[in-house]
């Protein structure tokens, strides 16, 4: 019987192992000294990672892994498995290694949730490895008793990865697979799918998913609703957009200013300003206060449609609520009033503009002056009102008026 080697300290063994170029010789050092020296965990971890870098050394790495005094942590297993993945071999080597460690080996290791999610994330980030990510997900969800939250999180991760790569069909397949596993999708699942479907112009399918989510009472991310509403409006499916808005209210969804403004902008863009005004009314009834974007969109839309009286009323309401319109909003109404010969109304709006400190555009002045010059009865009074703020006086000479006209 061979005598036992002299005992050395774990620190000395660690130095010898890490300085050895050949990992097999380093493994032999650990094996030979094992009767007298217990290696430090860092020594074994370093040796494991070195062995996993070569395919012919991989069996030794797996054997050493099973000899560890305690179950390996995810911090060790993750780099070990990623090293196997980087061997530039077919992904079957990675999958078979994972299978032997966690699924069908003699003593399967416990699978930590974060380890699974990190592995799926690493695989799905590379297009060539994405099929392996799908295979891994099928393997663990069918062979291991995973908790429902982990099944959902892992599926959501790959649904998102597939959607970002433009593979919406794969995302939908994973979505339906969740149901076959008796796991309910959550708000994140629906948000990812609706956004990717809208990017692919599959707006009707996205709207159907939102209907389903509302029916199931899942509190959704507001961004999911905004995305579908915006897509419906851009596809000119305004009736569907308004129907979804009403459905959201009926299901108790807390609508915000973005949801309403999305539909209002879409309706005004298509010339349906009176329908947009109805949405503004619904908005006020539901307790959501219109903002500057709401008013500006409606006022400009009404002016384009030739409904200057209603535009002026909305502008007055906007100013009355302390909102300061952009000069372009004033310009639309001034130009519209001048177009139909409403000189006094145009001048009044110009006065509001100046009182609020909004600098008129030169086109606003031009439109109003041209309109005034066709009405000799009020030319002097209106020009005094318009020019007086610049002169710093309430009087202006007749010669000056003559020069202006």
């Amino acid at each position: 019987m061979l005598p036992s080697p002299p005992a050395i300290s774990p620190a000395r063994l660690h130095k010898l192992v890490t300085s050895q170029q050949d990992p097999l010789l380093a493994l032999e050092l650990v094996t030979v000294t094992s009767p007298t020296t217990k290696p430090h965990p860092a020594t074994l971890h370093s040796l494991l990672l070195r062995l996993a870098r070569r395919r012919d050394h991989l069996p030794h790495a797996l054997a050493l892994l099973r000899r560890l005094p305690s179950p390996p942590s995810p911090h060790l297993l993750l780099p070990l498995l990623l090293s196997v993945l980087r061997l530039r071999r077919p992904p079957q080597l990675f999958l078979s290694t994972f299978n032997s460690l966690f699924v069908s080996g003699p003593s399967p290791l416990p699978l930590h949730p974060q380890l699974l999610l990190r592995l799926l994330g690493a695989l799905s980030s590379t297009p060539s490895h994405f099929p392996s990510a799908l295979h891994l997900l099928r393997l663990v969800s069918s062979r291991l008793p995973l908790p429902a939250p982990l099944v959902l999180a892992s599926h959501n991760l790959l649904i998102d990865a597939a959607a970002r790569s433009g593979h919406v069909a794969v995302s939908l397949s994973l979505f339906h697979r969740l149901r076959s596993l008796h796991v309910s999708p959550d708000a994140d699942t629906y948000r990812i799918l609706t956004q990717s479907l809208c990017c692919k112009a599959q707006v009707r399918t996205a709207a159907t998913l939102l209907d389903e989510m509302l029916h199931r009472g899942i509190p959704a991310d507001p961004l999911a609703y905004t995305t579908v509403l915006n897509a419906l409006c851009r596809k000119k499916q305004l009736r569907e957009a308004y129907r979804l808005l009403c459905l959201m209210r009926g299901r108790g969804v807390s609508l915000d200013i973005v949801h309403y403004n999305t539909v209002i902008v879409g309706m005004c863009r298509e010339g349906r300003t009176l329908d947009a005004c109805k949405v503004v009314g619904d908005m006020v009834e539901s307790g959501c206060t219109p903002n500057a974007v709401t008013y500006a969109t409606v006022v400009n839309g009404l002016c384009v449609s030739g409904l200057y009286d209603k535009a002026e009323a909305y502008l007055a309401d906007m100013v009355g609520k302390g909102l300061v319109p952009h000069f372009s909003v004033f310009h639309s109404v001034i130009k519209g009033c001048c177009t139909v010969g409403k000189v006094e109304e145009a001048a009044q709006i110009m006065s509001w503009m100046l009182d609020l400190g909004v600098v008129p555009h030169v086109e606003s002045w031009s439109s109003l002056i041209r309109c005034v010059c066709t009405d000799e009865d009020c030319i002097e009074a209106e020009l005094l009102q318009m020019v007086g703020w610049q002169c710093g006086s309430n009087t202006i000479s007749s010669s000056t008026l003559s020069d202006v006209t």
Side-chain angles (χ1 to χ4, degrees):
M1 182 175 179
L2 293 175
S4 298
I8 60 175
S9 68
R12 176 64 177 163
L13 178 61
H14 180 78
K15 186 174 181 180
L16 289 172
V17 169
T18 54
S19 63
Q20 177 56 246
Q21 297 294 323
D22 187 346
L24 290 181
L25 288 178
L27 178 62
E28 186 66 20
L29 280 172
V30 172
T31 304
V32 168
T33 58
S34 60
T36 58
T37 305
K38 181 180 180 181
H40 193 276
T43 307
L44 298 177
H45 293 179
S46 172
L47 181 56
L48 271 169
L49 294 179
R50 291 173 62 194
L51 289 168
R53 290 172 188 161
R54 290 183 54 177
R55 185 178 184 182
D56 52 342
H57 294 168
L58 187 59
H60 299 288
L62 298 181
L64 180 61
L65 186 68
R66 298 189 181 282
R67 286 166 49 193
L68 292 178
S70 60
S73 69
H75 299 292
L76 171 63
L77 291 170
L78 179 63
L80 174 68
L81 289 167
L82 291 180
S83 295
V84 177
L85 191 62
R86 296 189 191 103
L87 288 176
R88 299 185 180 277
R89 300 287 179 177
Q92 283 73 19
L93 176 62
F94 166 81
L95 294 171
S96 63
T97 302
F98 181 93
N99 187 55
S100 66
L101 287 175
F102 300 101
V103 180
S104 59
S107 300
L109 298 173
L111 179 60
H112 193 278
Q114 284 303 315
L115 175 63
L116 175 61
L117 295 177
R118 292 286 298 276
L119 287 173
L120 290 174
L123 288 168
S124 61
S125 63
T126 306
S128 60
H129 290 157
F130 189 78
S132 298
L134 294 174
H135 185 94
L136 177 61
L137 181 62
R138 285 194 296 269
L139 174 67
V140 295
S141 58
S142 61
R143 300 286 299 276
L144 297 178
L146 300 181
L150 180 57
V151 174
L152 178 60
S154 55
H155 277 76
N156 279 354
L157 192 153
L158 293 194
I159 287 172
D160 186 38
R164 283 188 281 105
S165 302
H167 302 300
V168 181
V170 176
S171 295
L172 284 172
S173 175
L174 288 168
F175 172 76
H176 294 305
R177 189 172 183 277
L178 270 176
R179 293 176 172 175
S180 68
L181 296 172
H182 307 290
V183 176
S184 298
D186 64 358
D188 286 337
T189 317
Y190 284 102
R191 175 184 55 78
I192 295 166
L193 279 174
T194 52
Q195 289 179 339
S196 60
L197 286 167
C198 288
C199 289
K200 290 292 185 179
Q202 299 182 33
V203 185
R204 191 172 296 278
T205 306
T208 301
L209 282 177
L210 275 189
D211 283 351
E212 175 186 314
M213 182 173 58
L214 288 171
H215 181 71
R216 296 180 58 199
I218 297 176
D221 183 343
L223 183 59
Y225 293 118
T226 305
T227 301
V228 176
L229 287 171
N230 186 53
L232 287 170
C233 291
R234 289 190 177 280
K235 295 282 286 184
K236 301 181 182 181
Q237 298 177 14
L238 300 177
R239 184 185 297 275
E240 287 297 314
Y242 184 68
R243 187 190 71 82
L244 177 58
L245 201 65
C246 294
L247 182 63
M248 290 163 65
R249 290 179 62 187
R251 297 287 186 183
V253 177
S254 180
L255 299 177
D256 60 22
I257 189 71
V258 178
H259 296 135
Y260 283 110
N261 280 354
T262 300
V263 178
I264 290 168
V265 169
M267 288 181 168
C268 289
R269 188 189 297 129
E270 297 303 315
R272 295 176 57 175
T273 48
L274 292 179
D275 290 335
C277 292
K278 184 180 185 306
V279 177
V280 174
D282 295 343
M283 182 180 184
V284 174
E285 287 179 8
S286 66
C288 186
T289 304
N291 62 7
V293 175
T294 313
Y295 282 110
T297 303
V298 173
V299 169
N300 286 324
L302 289 168
C303 289
V304 170
S305 300
L307 302 172
Y308 304 116
D309 289 339
K310 290 185 72 67
E312 186 180 349
Y314 274 99
L315 182 62
D317 188 35
M318 181 181 186
V319 174
K321 290 181 177 177
L323 299 173
V324 180
H326 190 260
F327 76 85
S328 61
V329 180
F330 282 112
H331 175 70
S332 296
V333 184
I334 290 171
K335 185 178 179 181
C337 289
C338 291
T339 300
V340 295
K342 294 185 174 184
V343 183
E344 293 184 4
E345 288 83 350
Q348 180 62 45
I349 293 168
M350 181 69 80
S351 295
W352 291 350
M353 193 175 185
L354 300 175
D355 291 341
L356 291 170
V358 180
V359 179
H361 192 271
V362 64
E363 287 296 326
S364 303
W365 286 113
S366 299
S367 298
L368 188 51
I369 290 173
R370 283 195 300 269
C371 184
V372 167
C373 289
T374 62
D375 189 347
E376 296 181 359
D377 293 336
C378 63
I379 182 171
E380 183 173 351
E382 300 301 342
L383 284 176
L384 280 171
Q385 186 177 9
M386 288 188 296
V387 183
W389 71 283
Q390 292 178 323
C391 299
S393 171
N394 289 329
T395 60
I396 191 167
S397 65
S398 299
S399 60
T400 304
L401 289 175
S402 300
D403 292 340
V404 174
T405 56

